[in-house]
Amino acid sequence: MEIVGFGRVLGSLLFVLALFFLFIVLLKRYRNPLTHGNSGKIKLVDQLTLELGRRAVLIEAEGRLSLIVLSKEGAEHIWTRDGGQQTDSIQ
C-alpha cells in the first residue's frame, strides 16, 4: 500500500509541474504586445556595472543620449547630448 501512496504523490507532483510549464508556455505566447517590444520611445543602449550596487546606463530617448548612474541611493544624471553626434570612447 505504501507504493500506491508514493505513486499518488509522484503523480500529483508531475501534474503540478506540467500545469506550471503549460502556464509558462501560454504566458510567453499570449503576453500583452503593448508591454513588450521595441515600440517605445526609450531604448537601453548599453549598461556597465561599476561596483556592487552601482551601474552606468546609457539610454536614448527622443533622439538624445543620456548617461545615468543608478545606485541604491538613487539615480545621478551625468550628461545628455543629441543622438546625431558621435559618442566619445574612453580608452
Side-chain angles (χ1 to χ4, degrees), residues 50-62:
L50 302 173
E51 58 188 42
L52 186 62
R54 288 188 64 190
R55 63 184 171 149
V57 178
L58 182 63
I59 61 171
E60 181 180 359
E62 298 179 1

Side-chain angles (χ1 to χ4, degrees), residues 15 25 31 51 76 89:
F15 179 73
V25 167
R31 71 178 133 202
E51 58 188 42
E76 178 183 352
S89 62

Side-chain angles (χ1 to χ4, degrees), residues 54-84:
R54 288 188 64 190
R55 63 184 171 149
V57 178
L58 182 63
I59 61 171
E60 181 180 359
E62 298 179 1
R64 300 172 75 189
L65 291 173
S66 294
L67 181 66
I68 300 170
V69 175
L70 302 174
S71 65
K72 294 177 185 176
E73 292 82 29
E76 178 183 352
H77 177 260
I78 305 298
W79 56 258
T80 297
R81 69 170 60 154
D82 290 332

Side-chain angles (χ1 to χ4, degrees), residues 5 8 12 14-15 21 24 31-32 35 38-40 47 49 54 56-57 60-61 64 66 80 82 84-85 87:
R8 286 183 182 171
S12 299
L14 290 176
F15 179 73
F21 286 117
I24 295 297
R31 71 178 133 202
N32 188 354
T35 61
N38 294 331
S39 62
Q47 64 181 340
T49 301
R54 288 188 64 190
V57 178
E60 181 180 359
R64 300 172 75 189
S66 294
T80 297
D82 290 332
Q85 298 176 355
T87 58

